[in-house]
Amino acid sequence: MRWVAIFDDKPGMLAVRQEREPLHLAYLLAHETEILIAGGLREAPGGGFVGGLWVLEVASRERAVALIENDPYFVPACRSYRLLTWGKALADKEAVL
């Protein structure tokens, strides 16, 4: 089942990013078979981060929540998220990344 997580940074998240970036990147690599795409969101090129986005392929919503909430970047006071199920258009076509 495919899910999209949209993260919104709150005040204080920049400090979390700076402190935990190596742990976060290692976490993404350790779960790369489930977290297919991940990256930060900015309002404009070169601007500061305002959030992030993941595309996940997992067995259940519960698994997606577990991955999100065990990520070193997940500090509820500094980051919220929305989790949405996603169906790819033209599912028989390979994605061009």
Side-chain angles (χ1 to χ4, degrees):
M1 184 177 297
R2 197 168 287 128
W3 295 87
V4 174
I6 302 169
F7 301 95
D8 290 308
D9 289 1
K10 299 177 185 179
M13 187 60 197
L14 179 58
V16 172
R17 285 177 176 276
Q18 291 170 339
E19 176 186 322
R20 300 183 181 187
E21 182 180 34
L23 295 171
H24 169 70
L25 295 176
Y27 185 83
L28 294 176
L29 283 173
H31 299 284
E32 67 185 343
T33 61
E34 295 176 293
I35 304 169
L36 305 181
I37 301 171
L41 297 174
R42 304 169 190 256
E43 291 180 346
F49 289 108
V50 297
L53 182 135
W54 290 2
V55 176
L56 303 102
E57 184 77 39
V58 293
S60 66
R61 184 180 199 287
E62 292 76 20
R63 178 61 182 153
V65 168
L67 285 166
I68 290 166
E69 294 187 0
N70 286 301
D71 175 24
Y73 268 10
F74 184 68
V75 176
C78 299
R79 175 172 256 204
S80 62
Y81 69 90
R82 291 177 39 203
L83 184 58
L84 306 166
T85 188
W86 178 57
K88 184 176 116 183
L90 305 174
D92 60 328
K93 301 282 185 183
E94 285 295 316
V96 177
L97 302 178

